[in-house]
Amino acid sequence: MRHVTYEQRHKPDIWNRPHISAEAAIMWDHEIRAMASSHSIIAASVFMATVLPAVLVPGFSVYGTHLLWLYSVSAAVAAVSVSVFWLLGISPPTKKHTLGYKLSRLFRSCLYFFLSCLFFHTVVILYGAPLIESALETFSLAVLLTSLTTLRCLCVLGPNVQAWIRVFSRHGAMSVWDTCLQITVAFTLIGAWLGAFPIPLDWDRPWQVWPVSCSLGAMIGYLTGLVVAPAWIHYHRKQLTYKCK
Amino acid sequence: MKGLTVLSLLLWLCAAYFVGIYLFVGGFLLVRLEVNRTSACGDVLQPGAESADFCRGAPRFRRVVVLIIDALKIDFARFDPAKTAPRPYENKLPVLEETVSARPAQSRLYPFRADPPTTTMQRIKGFTTGSLPTFVDVGNNFASSAILEDNLIHQLGQMGKRVVFMGDDTWENLFPKKFYRSLPFPSFNVKDLHTVDNGILQHLYTTMVGDDWDVLVAHFLGVDHCGHRFGPDHPAMADKLTQMDGVIRSVMERLQDDTLLVVMGDHGMTDTGDHGGESQKETDAALFLYSPSAIFPGPPAEDEPDVVPQTDLVPTLALLLGIPIPFSSVGQVLLPLFPPQEQTQGAVRRLSQLEALWINTKQVNRFLETYSSLSSDIPPESLSELKAAFARLSSDYLGSVGAGLPPSPHLASSLQAYLTSVRDTCRATWARFNPAKMAAGLAVLTFACLACFVMSELSAALTEEKRAGLKGPVAAAITIGVAVAAVQLVARGYVEVVWCLAAGAFASEALFLWRAWRLNRPAVLKNGAKVSKLSARRLLAPSLAVPLLRCASLLSDSYVIYEGRVVTFLLLSLALYVPVRLNWDGHLVPLTPDPLKSAGPLPSPALTLAAVRKESSSLIGCLGGLVLCACVSLSFHGCREEQGGCTPSPFLSPLSRLQDSQLKNLYYILSVVSLGVSAYLLRLWLCHYGNLNSSGGTAFAARWVLPLLCVCAGLHWAVSATPEDGFRKLAELIRVAQLALPRAAFALLGLGLGLIWADPLTVFVKTRAAASARSPALAPRYRASTGISPQAELRHLIPQIYQRMRRSLEDGEAGGVEDGRPAVEAYGLGTVYSAPLLLFCGLLGVGLLLLHPEGMALAFLLLLLEMAALLHIHAAAEVDPKWVFSVAWTPVVLWSLAASQFFHSTGHLPTFPSIQWGAAFVGFPDGHSGTVLPACLVTLNTFASHILFAVGCPLLLFWPLVREVRGGRGVKGHGEEGEDAVMEMRLREKPQQFSAALLQLSTRYVFILGAQVFSSVCAAAILRRHLMVWKVFAPKLLFEASGFVVSCCFLLIGVTLVLRVDVAVGRWFKRLIPDASR
């Protein structure tokens, strides 16, 4: 199934790269550059999503009206990621070009998005978040995590859980974008995990309130991932080989 | 199998750890015995005088107002008009200096030196009992914080004085129901500067104006809280001190002539506003004395004390108010407050300086005699010196008073000198950290951790070596220890065992490490670059990062307070990492067969897709179970007082306290059902693996003792939950049952454990008729026993193993004689090691459950399930095809985290008030005569989860074998025979690796626990001046250390049981095959 996907790409020559040749290296640079610029666009959207409401909405602050910030950032990241990946043509091409198939794909994507929100919500609760009180906050965090991680999976791999699971294995990455996906998702989740650490401290800071530290951690982790991914790929481009078919 | 080597290495390791802990705790925690005797008026007979009651005399003051301003440092009280730009805390209490200079005969300001630990609770104890409280005041009041020692408040109450208290609610806990009237205000919230103070101010003046009080104690907390929150150098402190200045002024205005005003700080503060330690900034508070009538002879004389020790307030106040000095006081009267000899004659008889000193001396001497007869922690030579001094003084004084002569002028000063030396002796014994011992303990512990790590890495080499490996270190320990003892004996005349132990342990560890290094060097040289270094990358691996985080979390009071949740969080993180890691390595999801890359990342070609999928789904299922167990277990937590807004689990209170009978029945049924389910699951497992077929002691224990024990427990709960007055007719029966049922359960437990120990083999051997054995498919016929389906038998009974061994033995002599193969089946051989261990755990678990409140049965069921889930995850995650029994770090870390998690989930907390004292009365409802048995019961109750996880630790080694996951992995090389279920018999095939792996597993477990102890020791050492040291870190250290000791003991028991099984299995084989060498 996978090789079908890759053969039908619009620019198949970029993707078929059994050996790194001089020609391929140029392609590499091209791809890395594309990645870096798309990442900077996403980062800029995060920045704008923080700054614009601060200008437009009176009384807006990241801590005070945290949920507002959270949703504005989530929406911005979601919109920008989807459009950037669509424009770049990273999104896996569809098998059939019928409208019905496309619609069903869209529907499945939305369903997966929602299921992923529920999944993150459950995981966060299992990690010790309160079950009933502040459920809205917990769910908002789940939405943020979903739009930072699952949405990217949806964009890069399509609504295909099998492929998602496979990407997160040592030999699972099949393109630079898969490696990039691995890095950003790992950074985001580790960031959110680390964000839970200051909560028990008795410092009484506004960012210790649930879920501010976790969502900030996830956001910082995500931004770090955006920076690290192209850099890492750039410095390891000699070692990276992708099994492609 | 080198059982003795493994055991001796472990023992040596534990001993090294214990010495380190003992040294540190000995230097850190100072223990004092509480003397529960009280002074009475009759004790204070005045010399020479007729036997008039001391208390009948009119006291110097009828009333006293004590204003305690928490953390009123002496610097705050001084006033220096020369300062033009005072700091926020300077010159804010001008009233004190004004009064002292304007009315020198009525007032004094002294520096008031507290004894460490300078925390409020200890200080209140100090200036009411006159003693030097230590962290552990050994007495019988562990359960409550009330002061049982003789104290001022008690004496005032005895004399009928009406004590009115307002302020810090610590007093209310220390002196419950001792006050005539009490207005406590919550003191816990350090952020709150005003609640307590404003509360006092609302009532202080109205109370003072009224006449229904004799002693008024007001404890202000604002200054202290301000220090903690902002530090002294902050405008808020200036406001607070100015407010206090106003308070003192208004109180002074309202004083009457027969009233004494005492304004004092209980301790000082550092420049950051903290206290608790022993620096001068923390110990030096202010003491201000004032009376509207003249008390002092004049302006401060030359011979007045520069500094007043805090203990001195007690005898002074007592004698001024005409009450006996509290029994355990070691203070010394403040002489300037008493008239010299000449002024004694007056209308009101006042104690002269000399008389006061004499009363004081007699009381101190009496205390010293009583204390030294009870405890021997005061050095004998100083004790005898003090006794001699007292004898001399007493004869001098009595002689001069008896003869009516004016006493010699030196007598007063020598009495003072005597009192000072008593106090100094006591202080040296009780109130000082011993940094040398603490440092030595830390060093020994560091080296023990290092040795433990080295041992776990070199376990193979260490078990291969001859037993001489340990002879050197032990010999070194003894030699150095004896040498140090001899040097001490020569130089000082007596031996301090602690230092001998320290030197011995240190030498032994050093020698061991050196030898280990030598042992390791050839290996390093051989392997060249492959040296396993502790690089940053390895440290970041979650299996090591999580214990690191855990250890780091012990250094912060917030994390210690929320330890239960923190541990669960870390456990879940590490557990969720396991499948992620497996997926990363490509073991979780079956990769689609790739024609281009045949070898690739596939675990083994033999693995079928379905098998991998099944394993993975079972792994995910177990993970789900683990996560659920962990989450549900959060609802069994108790509450620390520091946790605001927390309600303790309803399961923690015993059933007998529940009022609602319907709820009671529900809880009871829930408890009994979970107990039954636990027992049933255990039995099912044993049955499944064919261990119940045998007729030995262990099978008997499983078949009869375990169910009986559960029945006993259930009945005991029922009996203890019956309401007191519910069945009046059956009262006698209930009483007997309350006594007999738990005792019967203990006896059964002992019987079961003894049986397992005596006969641990759970193998049932069945000899078949030889001819009929040659059935075509090599599948022997099975005897259907205890209701096992033949399918289960086919899968799990291990008949072929014996045949295989036999054939390989006989191949040489009787080759080709196929029919000569004996037809013997051995049921339960595959789980011969784990079955007794598991049963041991189960029995122990039910026994420990009996010591808990009934509701904890659910928590114990969760513990069992989580143990199983952890073992399954561990077994499923073990995918290395070249695996030789060694257990990786991750499962060991998970295991130790689960032990801590269930310590909290069985309702325990690392604080003294949370100890479940009820455990001591299970089976002994009328109390005990000794102290050993209740202490044991309470220890067993407190560390139940540590015990179960420590005993069960070797299961980690057996489980991958029991599960035989990944379809006979590891036995591929054996060809056709490899299809046999070999299970734990593989351990017998490779005894060398078995002992190495057992040693490695136990040392890894000890290392993780030891690292936690080390970290809490570090926390106590580094943060010994922290605000929370006596509330959080010191109790945590004690619990961690005792948990470690208990865990080590039970780990040793578990390992010994495994070795015992090994010996039994060896004997069994010998009996079956007499010519077999092993």
Side-chain angles (χ1 to χ4, degrees), chain B residues 709 741-751 847 850-851 922-924 937:
Chain B
L709 193 59
L741 278 171
R743 287 192 184 181
F746 292 147
L748 275 174
L749 180 67
L751 175 74
L850 212 61
L851 298 175
V922 175
F924 303 90
L937 287 176

PDB file of all heavy atoms in Angstrom, chain B residues 709 741-751 847 850-851 922-924 937:
ATOM      1  N   LEU B 709      -7.017 -18.916  56.052  1.00  0.00           N
ATOM      2  CA  LEU B 709      -6.530 -17.608  56.480  1.00  0.00           C
ATOM      3  C   LEU B 709      -7.515 -16.532  56.046  1.00  0.00           C
ATOM      4  O   LEU B 709      -7.857 -15.616  56.824  1.00  0.00           O
ATOM      5  CB  LEU B 709      -5.163 -17.368  55.850  1.00  0.00           C
ATOM      6  CG  LEU B 709      -4.324 -16.220  56.389  1.00  0.00           C
ATOM      7  CD1 LEU B 709      -4.069 -16.414  57.855  1.00  0.00           C
ATOM      8  CD2 LEU B 709      -3.007 -16.158  55.647  1.00  0.00           C
ATOM      9  N   LEU B 741      -9.574 -14.894  66.795  1.00  0.00           N
ATOM     10  CA  LEU B 741      -9.528 -14.971  65.333  1.00  0.00           C
ATOM     11  C   LEU B 741      -8.220 -14.452  64.743  1.00  0.00           C
ATOM     12  O   LEU B 741      -7.579 -15.169  63.974  1.00  0.00           O
ATOM     13  CB  LEU B 741     -10.723 -14.222  64.745  1.00  0.00           C
ATOM     14  CG  LEU B 741     -12.015 -15.032  64.714  1.00  0.00           C
ATOM     15  CD1 LEU B 741     -13.180 -14.149  64.321  1.00  0.00           C
ATOM     16  CD2 LEU B 741     -11.890 -16.192  63.762  1.00  0.00           C
ATOM     17  N   PRO B 742      -7.799 -13.243  65.115  1.00  0.00           N
ATOM     18  CA  PRO B 742      -6.531 -12.799  64.536  1.00  0.00           C
ATOM     19  C   PRO B 742      -5.361 -13.649  64.969  1.00  0.00           C
ATOM     20  O   PRO B 742      -4.447 -13.901  64.183  1.00  0.00           O
ATOM     21  CB  PRO B 742      -6.383 -11.370  65.049  1.00  0.00           C
ATOM     22  CG  PRO B 742      -7.549 -11.068  65.864  1.00  0.00           C
ATOM     23  CD  PRO B 742      -8.430 -12.237  65.929  1.00  0.00           C
ATOM     24  N   ARG B 743      -5.429 -14.134  66.202  1.00  0.00           N
ATOM     25  CA  ARG B 743      -4.310 -14.981  66.641  1.00  0.00           C
ATOM     26  C   ARG B 743      -4.264 -16.267  65.838  1.00  0.00           C
ATOM     27  O   ARG B 743      -3.200 -16.755  65.464  1.00  0.00           O
ATOM     28  CB  ARG B 743      -4.430 -15.285  68.123  1.00  0.00           C
ATOM     29  CG  ARG B 743      -4.100 -14.051  68.942  1.00  0.00           C
ATOM     30  CD  ARG B 743      -3.936 -14.371  70.394  1.00  0.00           C
ATOM     31  NE  ARG B 743      -3.712 -13.133  71.135  1.00  0.00           N
ATOM     32  CZ  ARG B 743      -3.506 -13.093  72.433  1.00  0.00           C
ATOM     33  NH1 ARG B 743      -3.508 -14.212  73.136  1.00  0.00           N
ATOM     34  NH2 ARG B 743      -3.289 -11.952  73.032  1.00  0.00           N
ATOM     35  N   ALA B 744      -5.470 -16.816  65.576  1.00  0.00           N
ATOM     36  CA  ALA B 744      -5.531 -18.020  64.752  1.00  0.00           C
ATOM     37  C   ALA B 744      -4.971 -17.715  63.374  1.00  0.00           C
ATOM     38  O   ALA B 744      -4.231 -18.521  62.787  1.00  0.00           O
ATOM     39  CB  ALA B 744      -6.976 -18.505  64.647  1.00  0.00           C
ATOM     40  N   ALA B 745      -5.313 -16.533  62.864  1.00  0.00           N
ATOM     41  CA  ALA B 745      -4.810 -16.158  61.541  1.00  0.00           C
ATOM     42  C   ALA B 745      -3.291 -16.055  61.564  1.00  0.00           C
ATOM     43  O   ALA B 745      -2.616 -16.533  60.647  1.00  0.00           O
ATOM     44  CB  ALA B 745      -5.422 -14.827  61.117  1.00  0.00           C
ATOM     45  N   PHE B 746      -2.740 -15.458  62.623  1.00  0.00           N
ATOM     46  CA  PHE B 746      -1.281 -15.363  62.713  1.00  0.00           C
ATOM     47  C   PHE B 746      -0.664 -16.750  62.756  1.00  0.00           C
ATOM     48  O   PHE B 746       0.366 -17.009  62.121  1.00  0.00           O
ATOM     49  CB  PHE B 746      -0.866 -14.561  63.945  1.00  0.00           C
ATOM     50  CG  PHE B 746      -1.215 -13.105  63.867  1.00  0.00           C
ATOM     51  CD1 PHE B 746      -1.551 -12.387  64.996  1.00  0.00           C
ATOM     52  CD2 PHE B 746      -1.211 -12.450  62.650  1.00  0.00           C
ATOM     53  CE1 PHE B 746      -1.871 -11.041  64.921  1.00  0.00           C
ATOM     54  CE2 PHE B 746      -1.533 -11.117  62.557  1.00  0.00           C
ATOM     55  CZ  PHE B 746      -1.862 -10.414  63.697  1.00  0.00           C
ATOM     56  N   ALA B 747      -1.310 -17.642  63.531  1.00  0.00           N
ATOM     57  CA  ALA B 747      -0.775 -18.999  63.641  1.00  0.00           C
ATOM     58  C   ALA B 747      -0.820 -19.685  62.280  1.00  0.00           C
ATOM     59  O   ALA B 747       0.151 -20.345  61.871  1.00  0.00           O
ATOM     60  CB  ALA B 747      -1.588 -19.791  64.666  1.00  0.00           C
ATOM     61  N   LEU B 748      -1.926 -19.509  61.579  1.00  0.00           N
ATOM     62  CA  LEU B 748      -2.050 -20.111  60.251  1.00  0.00           C
ATOM     63  C   LEU B 748      -0.988 -19.559  59.310  1.00  0.00           C
ATOM     64  O   LEU B 748      -0.385 -20.294  58.528  1.00  0.00           O
ATOM     65  CB  LEU B 748      -3.434 -19.809  59.675  1.00  0.00           C
ATOM     66  CG  LEU B 748      -4.546 -20.754  60.081  1.00  0.00           C
ATOM     67  CD1 LEU B 748      -5.864 -20.242  59.560  1.00  0.00           C
ATOM     68  CD2 LEU B 748      -4.267 -22.134  59.536  1.00  0.00           C
ATOM     69  N   LEU B 749      -0.793 -18.258  59.410  1.00  0.00           N
ATOM     70  CA  LEU B 749       0.214 -17.624  58.568  1.00  0.00           C
ATOM     71  C   LEU B 749       1.579 -18.225  58.840  1.00  0.00           C
ATOM     72  O   LEU B 749       2.314 -18.603  57.915  1.00  0.00           O
ATOM     73  CB  LEU B 749       0.229 -16.118  58.855  1.00  0.00           C
ATOM     74  CG  LEU B 749       1.228 -15.287  58.073  1.00  0.00           C
ATOM     75  CD1 LEU B 749       0.862 -15.282  56.610  1.00  0.00           C
ATOM     76  CD2 LEU B 749       1.251 -13.857  58.584  1.00  0.00           C
ATOM     77  N   GLY B 750       1.896 -18.343  60.144  1.00  0.00           N
ATOM     78  CA  GLY B 750       3.166 -18.959  60.510  1.00  0.00           C
ATOM     79  C   GLY B 750       3.262 -20.367  59.985  1.00  0.00           C
ATOM     80  O   GLY B 750       4.295 -20.771  59.424  1.00  0.00           O
ATOM     81  N   LEU B 751       2.196 -21.115  60.116  1.00  0.00           N
ATOM     82  CA  LEU B 751       2.185 -22.505  59.650  1.00  0.00           C
ATOM     83  C   LEU B 751       2.413 -22.551  58.148  1.00  0.00           C
ATOM     84  O   LEU B 751       3.253 -23.323  57.658  1.00  0.00           O
ATOM     85  CB  LEU B 751       0.832 -23.131  59.998  1.00  0.00           C
ATOM     86  CG  LEU B 751       0.607 -24.540  59.467  1.00  0.00           C
ATOM     87  CD1 LEU B 751       1.420 -25.528  60.262  1.00  0.00           C
ATOM     88  CD2 LEU B 751      -0.870 -24.899  59.495  1.00  0.00           C
ATOM     89  N   GLY B 847      -1.726 -11.814  55.484  1.00  0.00           N
ATOM     90  CA  GLY B 847      -1.335 -11.531  56.870  1.00  0.00           C
ATOM     91  C   GLY B 847      -1.192 -10.042  57.114  1.00  0.00           C
ATOM     92  O   GLY B 847      -1.647  -9.511  58.131  1.00  0.00           O
ATOM     93  N   LEU B 850      -4.383  -8.099  57.285  1.00  0.00           N
ATOM     94  CA  LEU B 850      -5.076  -8.214  58.563  1.00  0.00           C
ATOM     95  C   LEU B 850      -4.726  -7.056  59.491  1.00  0.00           C
ATOM     96  O   LEU B 850      -5.515  -6.678  60.358  1.00  0.00           O
ATOM     97  CB  LEU B 850      -4.661  -9.539  59.203  1.00  0.00           C
ATOM     98  CG  LEU B 850      -5.676 -10.233  60.067  1.00  0.00           C
ATOM     99  CD1 LEU B 850      -6.887 -10.566  59.253  1.00  0.00           C
ATOM    100  CD2 LEU B 850      -5.067 -11.494  60.637  1.00  0.00           C
ATOM    101  N   LEU B 851      -3.528  -6.496  59.304  1.00  0.00           N
ATOM    102  CA  LEU B 851      -3.081  -5.409  60.176  1.00  0.00           C
ATOM    103  C   LEU B 851      -3.621  -4.058  59.713  1.00  0.00           C
ATOM    104  O   LEU B 851      -3.412  -3.053  60.374  1.00  0.00           O
ATOM    105  CB  LEU B 851      -1.558  -5.347  60.203  1.00  0.00           C
ATOM    106  CG  LEU B 851      -0.853  -6.578  60.739  1.00  0.00           C
ATOM    107  CD1 LEU B 851       0.642  -6.432  60.591  1.00  0.00           C
ATOM    108  CD2 LEU B 851      -1.200  -6.785  62.189  1.00  0.00           C
ATOM    109  N   VAL B 922      -4.235  -5.520  66.799  1.00  0.00           N
ATOM    110  CA  VAL B 922      -4.905  -6.613  66.106  1.00  0.00           C
ATOM    111  C   VAL B 922      -4.499  -7.915  66.789  1.00  0.00           C
ATOM    112  O   VAL B 922      -3.324  -8.287  66.794  1.00  0.00           O
ATOM    113  CB  VAL B 922      -4.519  -6.634  64.620  1.00  0.00           C
ATOM    114  CG1 VAL B 922      -5.116  -7.847  63.946  1.00  0.00           C
ATOM    115  CG2 VAL B 922      -4.993  -5.376  63.953  1.00  0.00           C
ATOM    116  N   GLY B 923      -5.448  -8.564  67.390  1.00  0.00           N
ATOM    117  CA  GLY B 923      -5.134  -9.790  68.110  1.00  0.00           C
ATOM    118  C   GLY B 923      -4.710  -9.542  69.541  1.00  0.00           C
ATOM    119  O   GLY B 923      -4.564 -10.476  70.317  1.00  0.00           O
ATOM    120  N   PHE B 924      -4.472  -8.285  69.869  1.00  0.00           N
ATOM    121  CA  PHE B 924      -4.111  -7.950  71.249  1.00  0.00           C
ATOM    122  C   PHE B 924      -4.958  -6.764  71.685  1.00  0.00           C
ATOM    123  O   PHE B 924      -4.432  -5.678  71.898  1.00  0.00           O
ATOM    124  CB  PHE B 924      -2.625  -7.615  71.348  1.00  0.00           C
ATOM    125  CG  PHE B 924      -1.736  -8.708  70.866  1.00  0.00           C
ATOM    126  CD1 PHE B 924      -1.349  -8.755  69.537  1.00  0.00           C
ATOM    127  CD2 PHE B 924      -1.300  -9.708  71.720  1.00  0.00           C
ATOM    128  CE1 PHE B 924      -0.540  -9.771  69.077  1.00  0.00           C
ATOM    129  CE2 PHE B 924      -0.493 -10.721  71.260  1.00  0.00           C
ATOM    130  CZ  PHE B 924      -0.106 -10.760  69.939  1.00  0.00           C
ATOM    131  N   LEU B 937       4.570  -5.230  64.857  1.00  0.00           N
ATOM    132  CA  LEU B 937       3.282  -5.198  64.147  1.00  0.00           C
ATOM    133  C   LEU B 937       3.120  -3.885  63.399  1.00  0.00           C
ATOM    134  O   LEU B 937       2.704  -3.866  62.236  1.00  0.00           O
ATOM    135  CB  LEU B 937       2.132  -5.383  65.141  1.00  0.00           C
ATOM    136  CG  LEU B 937       1.989  -6.797  65.696  1.00  0.00           C
ATOM    137  CD1 LEU B 937       0.895  -6.850  66.739  1.00  0.00           C
ATOM    138  CD2 LEU B 937       1.676  -7.766  64.579  1.00  0.00           C
TER     139      LEU B 937
END
